[in-house]
């Protein structure tokens, strides 16, 4: 059995975007090392003995994560919401633990298309930490960056920019150099995204200047963010047809003996999926049947595994398991094939080809209650693909067990 490196529901998407045959039936890939029944029983036993809030939160998170891994998205969210209901009032005494509940709920909300709940959960996470730890605590500042991330993801980049700038200013005033560098990288990412959307040379120049500044002038204690900026610059150059900066990074890592963990240097974006043939959210009533038929494909998920080989190239991409048809995964598999990672550090004792990665992909669409002229909620016309890294902590391919264990 293998374990995830950290709770998959608590990992923040800090910097990355990011052969066995496909199995038939419904195999179980043991990732957490505990069956669904085990985590359900552990949570029930905890509640039966009126366990302390921190133990309740830990048991709830373990079970909700297990439910998500098994594709039980609705049940996972229910587990988290019930635990939030029980433990919200203990946020002052257990700020980190209760904030973890809100953070986990925001992750699941993203995957089921609940944009409003995603937004509010991120705010509740930040507010819980702030009330319990004080606004100068670095964990609160990082949580505020996550608030900025949520605003950017929901389509409000100007708000995200303001938040990142404020965090950088506060972090510098309080001697939190790493947080300040994190906020600077986020501002650069906004500029890069804007440049790629507009295609304007002036916008690309702004993004490059910001990234070069971060790379050349890292703050003490935040030197690793300089590498992040260098990699971001290389990705942007490569998208513009210039692979020289990527090749320079590859040579540098090779000269230093290779990377000790996966470091993504380049990937193409996942191509947009539109199951409604580009009908807008304000489409006429005549297209309702077509729209409902198309959106029937929503709520599918799949776990995709692949090796990162010693040279940083990807191989043996496989769909390990999933729910529903796999047609929608084609752009995902094509995107993974385009990835270039830093070459890996190798030793004579290495018996595997590199790092084995597992990523959960969910086909979803956000719920919306606008542009319809009614009070009824409906899905947006254009589906989204959400990604979650569920790679085992030892980067090895997990055992596939055909027997269900709960």
């Amino acid at each position: 059995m293998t374990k995830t490196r950290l709770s998959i529901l608590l990992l923040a998407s800090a910097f990355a975007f990011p052969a066995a045959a496909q199995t038939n039936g419904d195999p179980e890939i043991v990732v957490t090392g505990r069956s669904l029944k085990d985590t359900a029983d552990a949570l029930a036993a905890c509640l039966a003995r009126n366990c302390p809030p921190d133990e309740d939160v830990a048991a709830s998170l373990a079970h909700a994560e297990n439910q998500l891994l098994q594709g039980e998205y609705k049940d996972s969210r229910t587990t988290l919401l019930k635990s939030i209901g029980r433990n919200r009032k203990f946020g002052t005494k257990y700020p980190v633990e209760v904030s973890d509940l809100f953070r986990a709920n925001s992750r699941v909300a993203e995957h089921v298309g609940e944009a409003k709940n995603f937004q509010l959960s991120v705010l509740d996470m930040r507010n819980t930490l702030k009330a319990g730890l004080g606004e100068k605590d670095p964990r609160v500042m990082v949580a505020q960056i996550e608030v900025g991330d949520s605003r950017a993801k929901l389509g409000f980049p100007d708000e995200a920019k303001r938040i990142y700038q404020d965090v950088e200013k506060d972090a510098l005033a309080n001697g939190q150099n790493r947080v300040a560098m994190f906020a600077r990288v986020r501002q650069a990412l906004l500029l890069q995204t804007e440049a790629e959307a507009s295609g304007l040379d002036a916008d690309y120049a702004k993004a490059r200047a910001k990234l070069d500044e971060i790379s050349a002038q890292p703050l003490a204690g935040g030197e690793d963010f300089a590498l992040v900026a260098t990699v971001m610059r290389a990705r942007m150059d490569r998208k513009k047809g210039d692979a020289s900066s990527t090749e320079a990074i590859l040579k540098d890592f090779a000269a230093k003996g290779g990377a000790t963990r996966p470091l993504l240097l380049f990937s193409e974006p996942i191509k947009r999926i539109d199951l409604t043939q580009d009908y807008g959210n304000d489409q006429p009533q005549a297209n309702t049947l077509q729209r409902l038929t198309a959106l029937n494909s929503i709520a599918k998920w799949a776990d995709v595994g692949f090796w990162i080989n010693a040279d940083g190239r990807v191989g043996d991409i496989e769909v390990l398991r999933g729910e529903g048809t796999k047609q929608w995964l084609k752009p995902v598999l094509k995107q993974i094939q385009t990835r270039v990672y830093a070459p890996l550090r190798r030793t004579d004792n290495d018996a595997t080809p590199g790092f084995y990665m597992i990523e959960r992909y969910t086909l979803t669409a956000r719920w919306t209650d606008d542009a319809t002229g009614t009070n009824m909620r409906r899905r947006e016309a254009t589906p989204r693909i959400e990604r979650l890294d569920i790679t085992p902590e030892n980067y090895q391919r997990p055992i596939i067990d055909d027997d269900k264990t709960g």
Side-chain angles (χ1 to χ4, degrees):
M1 295 182 179
T2 54
K3 297 180 181 180
T4 49
R5 291 160 289 142
L6 290 171
S7 175
I8 63 172
L9 292 176
L10 303 183
L11 287 173
S13 54
F15 310 117
F17 120 160
Q22 179 178 329
T23 56
N24 295 320
D26 187 22
E28 179 183 10
I29 302 169
V30 181
V31 178
T32 62
R34 301 175 67 189
S35 72
L36 203 56
K37 183 178 185 302
D38 285 343
T39 53
D41 289 347
L43 176 58
C46 179
L47 297 179
R49 63 181 174 82
N50 195 27
C51 58
D54 56 337
E55 294 181 22
D56 180 350
V57 169
S60 297
L61 287 172
H63 188 48
E65 177 178 309
N66 227 355
Q67 289 173 310
L68 182 71
L69 288 171
Q70 296 300 326
E72 298 180 4
Y73 286 60
K74 182 178 179 180
D75 291 343
S76 176
R77 190 157 176 259
T78 297
T79 296
L80 292 170
L81 291 174
K82 286 183 176 180
S83 188
I84 288 172
R86 293 191 300 270
N87 295 294
R88 178 192 290 267
K89 59 181 176 290
F90 300 113
T92 302
K93 185 175 181 180
Y94 299 98
V96 174
E97 290 81 359
V98 175
S99 71
D100 282 346
L101 276 178
F102 287 119
R103 180 179 284 110
N105 188 57
S106 74
R107 301 282 188 266
V108 178
E110 281 185 286
H111 281 254
V112 297
E114 294 287 354
K116 189 66 175 180
N117 189 245
F118 162 62
Q119 174 190 355
L120 294 177
S121 293
V122 174
L123 290 173
D124 284 334
M125 176 272 299
R126 186 273 318 272
N127 292 342
T128 300
L129 288 173
K130 186 175 180 179
L133 303 176
E135 60 183 12
K136 294 183 179 181
D137 190 284
R139 289 167 290 184
V140 176
M141 296 182 187
V142 171
Q144 182 68 355
I145 291 178
E146 291 184 62
V147 173
D149 294 346
S150 71
R151 300 312 291 155
K153 186 164 189 176
L154 292 172
F156 301 95
D158 290 342
E159 291 185 23
K161 177 181 178 181
R162 174 185 56 79
I163 290 171
Y164 298 149
Q165 290 175 337
D166 288 345
V167 171
E168 179 187 358
K169 180 180 177 181
D170 292 342
L172 289 173
N174 289 281
Q176 300 292 343
N177 286 355
R178 285 189 57 78
V179 178
M181 288 291 287
F182 189 7
R184 287 180 182 178
V185 167
R186 280 308 203 218
Q187 293 172 63
L189 181 59
L190 283 180
L191 290 173
Q192 180 179 344
T193 303
E194 181 182 347
E196 292 172 355
S198 71
L200 298 176
D201 290 340
D203 289 340
Y204 274 106
K206 290 179 183 178
R208 291 192 188 98
K210 186 69 173 180
L211 290 169
D212 290 345
E213 177 188 348
I214 295 172
S215 297
Q217 302 174 29
L219 298 174
E223 291 82 3
D224 49 340
F225 286 94
L227 174 59
V228 174
T230 301
V231 170
M232 289 172 61
R233 169 67 189 266
R235 292 181 192 173
M236 186 169 60
D237 290 345
R238 187 159 180 146
K239 288 180 181 179
K240 292 284 286 182
D242 180 5
S244 60
S245 52
T246 301
E247 295 303 322
I249 295 175
L250 290 172
K251 290 180 180 179
D252 184 57
F253 268 99
K256 294 178 179 178
T260 58
R261 60 181 177 82
L263 178 61
L264 181 64
L265 301 181
F266 175 79
S267 69
E268 295 285 351
I270 296 177
K271 290 187 177 180
R272 178 175 178 267
I273 291 181
D274 194 341
L275 300 177
T276 62
Q277 302 177 9
D278 289 324
Y279 291 128
N281 282 326
D282 57 348
Q283 61 189 279
Q285 188 67 26
N287 293 322
T288 299
L289 181 59
Q290 290 173 296
R291 187 175 191 280
L292 291 175
T293 300
L295 293 184
N296 186 48
S297 297
I298 293 299
K300 304 296 187 292
W301 61 271
D303 292 338
V304 179
F306 58 93
W307 283 101
I308 302 175
N309 298 314
D311 62 358
R313 304 291 174 172
V314 171
D316 296 336
I317 303 171
E318 53 185 338
V319 180
L320 299 173
R321 63 173 183 169
E323 175 72 25
T325 64
K326 307 300 186 294
Q327 186 72 15
W328 62 275
L329 275 174
K330 286 185 177 181
V332 170
L333 302 180
K334 289 181 179 179
Q335 188 265 0
I336 293 174
Q337 288 177 332
T338 70
R339 296 185 190 178
V340 178
Y341 289 84
L344 309 181
R345 179 169 298 174
R346 306 291 291 162
T347 69
D348 293 337
N349 296 324
D350 286 338
T352 59
F355 294 132
Y356 193 79
M357 309 290 289
I358 304 177
E359 296 174 348
R360 163 67 59 87
Y361 289 91
T362 305
L363 181 66
T364 187
R366 288 175 179 162
W367 287 101
T368 180
D369 53 8
D370 59 4
T372 65
T374 72
N375 292 323
M376 296 180 61
R377 294 205 317 162
R378 68 173 189 173
R379 296 278 191 180
E380 291 181 345
T382 304
R384 305 171 56 84
I385 294 178
E386 297 288 349
R387 171 188 170 274
L388 194 64
D389 185 356
I390 59 173
T391 298
E393 62 182 357
N394 61 359
Y395 294 109
Q396 297 301 304
R397 190 180 188 282
I399 298 171
I400 297 180
D401 184 358
D402 291 322
D403 296 326
K404 288 298 228 180
T405 58

